[in-house]
Amino acid sequence: MINAVTGQLVCVNAQSVTVLCYGIEYELQISSQTATKLSNLQGSDRNNVRILAWLQHREDGMTLFGFCDEDERRLFLELIKVNGIGAKQAMKILSGVRVSDPMSALDKSDVNFLSKIPGLGAKTSQKIILALRDTLVFTQQSSLPQAVASGSSRKYEDVVNALVEMGYDKRHVLDCIAKLLEENSEQLKGKSQSYVEELIFRKALVSLS
């Protein structure tokens, strides 16, 4: 799997970017949002760019998609799980909104907002809301401590999953755990992972009920 491409920025247009990496030029399909950010780079910043990637391998060829950060890539990966949305359409959707915008729309089940995004209609917007409303929780939108908020950390995943399986909303669970970790930080210092998980789980049940 290609996780990222790092190298010199060769050229950028509205839908793609070319990066020179150890003598090989890689072309990645990108959103217009990412294209704008890359185009604004100046001087030495253009000589060492890192673009997160996802490789689509099909019978008729391979396409490399690029993303400015982990939240954009995660939204892309969640979108292509929705029935009827392919990689190109997902990239078109990313071009029409800031990554943070769908989060608010999903919270409010705002079909009207989503349906105005290029590449979406009312029916597809409804599919997205049904599929992703309890799935997407972005680090930039959250007040969670790093251990919970970071996409690379799964420290409290078992506790989160257990509470979600009991019927609690995932966002409320994450916010609750974050608050409990802050409120009980002194008590939890030096404690084992199992002790922390058990305590947080019990307190979360009380808080969420």
Side-chain angles (χ1 to χ4, degrees):
M1 175 182 176
I2 300 176
N3 181 63
V5 174
T6 302
Q8 180 183 354
L9 188 61
V10 177
C11 65
V12 185
N13 61 43
Q15 296 180 338
S16 67
V17 59
T18 302
V19 178
L20 175 62
C21 179
Y22 296 107
I24 301 175
E25 291 189 359
Y26 293 89
E27 183 180 70
L28 300 92
Q29 302 301 306
I30 58 175
S31 69
S32 60
Q33 306 281 350
T34 293
T36 299
K37 293 179 181 179
L38 293 173
S39 297
N40 290 333
L41 294 178
Q42 301 292 327
S44 60
D45 289 338
R46 296 176 65 90
N47 295 327
N48 188 31
V49 298
R50 180 173 184 266
I51 303 173
L52 298 179
W54 181 77
L55 178 64
Q56 181 186 59
H57 192 179
R58 297 168 50 177
E59 291 183 0
D60 57 351
M62 293 185 291
T63 304
L64 197 58
F65 293 87
F67 312 92
C68 62
D69 56 39
E70 192 59 57
D71 278 347
E72 185 182 42
R73 179 164 65 177
R74 186 179 177 204
L75 177 55
F76 171 87
L77 293 175
E78 293 297 339
L79 283 171
I80 63 176
K81 293 178 184 177
V82 179
N83 186 33
I85 296 182
K88 290 185 178 180
Q89 186 179 13
M91 192 58 71
K92 188 175 181 180
I93 293 169
L94 291 176
S95 294
V97 294
R98 295 176 303 171
V99 174
S100 58
D101 290 338
M103 189 64 161
S104 176
L106 288 170
D107 280 334
K108 300 174 183 177
S109 297
D110 192 345
V111 175
N112 290 330
F113 173 83
L114 292 175
S115 62
K116 292 177 183 177
I117 299 172
L120 290 182
K123 290 184 178 180
T124 305
S125 297
Q126 290 172 346
K127 286 182 181 180
I128 291 175
I129 288 174
L130 291 174
L132 305 184
R133 189 175 186 276
D134 295 322
T135 300
L136 292 173
V137 180
F138 294 121
T139 61
Q140 64 184 24
Q141 290 259 325
S142 179
S143 60
L144 304 181
Q146 189 67 20
V148 179
S150 173
S152 62
S153 174
R154 302 299 181 189
K155 192 172 183 181
Y156 300 99
E157 186 175 28
D158 289 342
V159 176
V160 173
N161 289 340
L163 291 167
V164 171
E165 288 176 3
M166 294 175 67
Y168 296 108
D169 179 81
K170 188 171 185 178
R171 292 184 192 82
H172 293 161
V173 169
L174 289 169
D175 288 339
C176 177
I177 291 176
K179 184 178 180 181
L180 290 172
L181 288 170
E182 291 179 1
E183 292 176 348
N184 298 274
S185 58
E186 290 299 320
Q187 181 182 351
L188 298 176
K189 280 184 179 179
K191 301 298 184 181
S192 67
Q193 177 74 14
S194 59
Y195 176 90
V196 174
E197 289 183 352
E198 182 179 352
L199 180 66
I200 293 300
F201 180 76
R202 287 191 283 104
K203 287 182 175 291
L205 281 176
V206 175
S207 179
L208 291 167
S209 298

